[in-house]
Amino acid sequence: MAVTSMDRSLAARMIVSASRRVAEHQDELSRLDAVAGDGDHGVNMAEALAEAGRRIGGQDDRGAAGVFRTTGGAFHETVGGAAGALFGAFFGAAAGRLSGIAEPDASDFVAALGKGTARVMRLGRAEPGHKTMLDALAPAVEGAGAALEAGEALAGVMSAAARAARRGAVSTAGMPPKAGRARYAPDRSLGYQDPGATTVALIFEAWADEMNREEADR
Ligand code: ADP
Ligand code: MG
């Protein structure tokens, strides 16, 4: 049966599955960051998501918004780098959009992704095309919106977001960096994907898998 709303438990499982997925790819993410950055991205993201999972486990019930808010806090407080602040802002803004909604549906979720992405753009002063996480986030929001318009529920929306995020992440290999540390070595990262965009693809893929599993179980 189609999953039409996201309760606290589903949101928590999304974070835990994202944490597991990123941990599995931690070394690859840090290697990508080492090409033109400082090589800490995989460790940063794995630590923040693991901390988010621990905090969510001990949290009382504040719905999906509470889970995303807690995740944002874990990014802000665990990770020093640029991506920690930016992912923290992403999850915080998404939580703001979901707050007060007892059972967020696919349209709330797409709106939350949009809010999160807009916050990242404002905070980091980067745009799609600059070889950053935005090159996966922006297409994911667009793909999710198109799936929503086509009448998809959460699983279909998340699958579309994941496909678009992965395409976006792959496309960063061909881009010269215009933001973040990598811009100081503009030629070095050509041919390599942006680590932050790759993390976004991994997170959305884990979420899509979680949603599809959830549908299959119902
Ligand atoms: P740091 O660069 O501080 O070491 P990380 O290595 O954890 O932080 O994260 C690097 C990633 O952060 C990049 O791959 C990119 O996706 C993202 N990033 C960096 N600066 C920006 C920015 N201004 N806007 C959006 N994303 C950014
Ligand atoms: Mg780094």
Side-chain angles (χ1 to χ4, degrees), residues 33 38 40-41 44 81-83 86 124 126 132-133 180-181 194-197:
D33 189 34
D38 54 359
D40 62 352
H41 185 72
N44 288 346
L86 292 164
T132 71
M133 62 175 73
R181 277 179 208 279
D194 175 65

Side-chain angles (χ1 to χ4, degrees), residues 3-20:
V3 179
T4 53
S5 70
M6 186 187 297
D7 60 11
R8 180 191 185 281
S9 139
L10 179 54
R13 270 175 284 137
M14 284 165 60
I15 299 303
V16 170
S17 70
S19 172
R20 200 175 304 130

Side-chain angles (χ1 to χ4, degrees), residues 54-66:
R54 280 190 292 275
R55 291 184 186 190
I56 289 162
Q59 180 190 270
D60 56 2
D61 199 337
R62 281 177 294 135

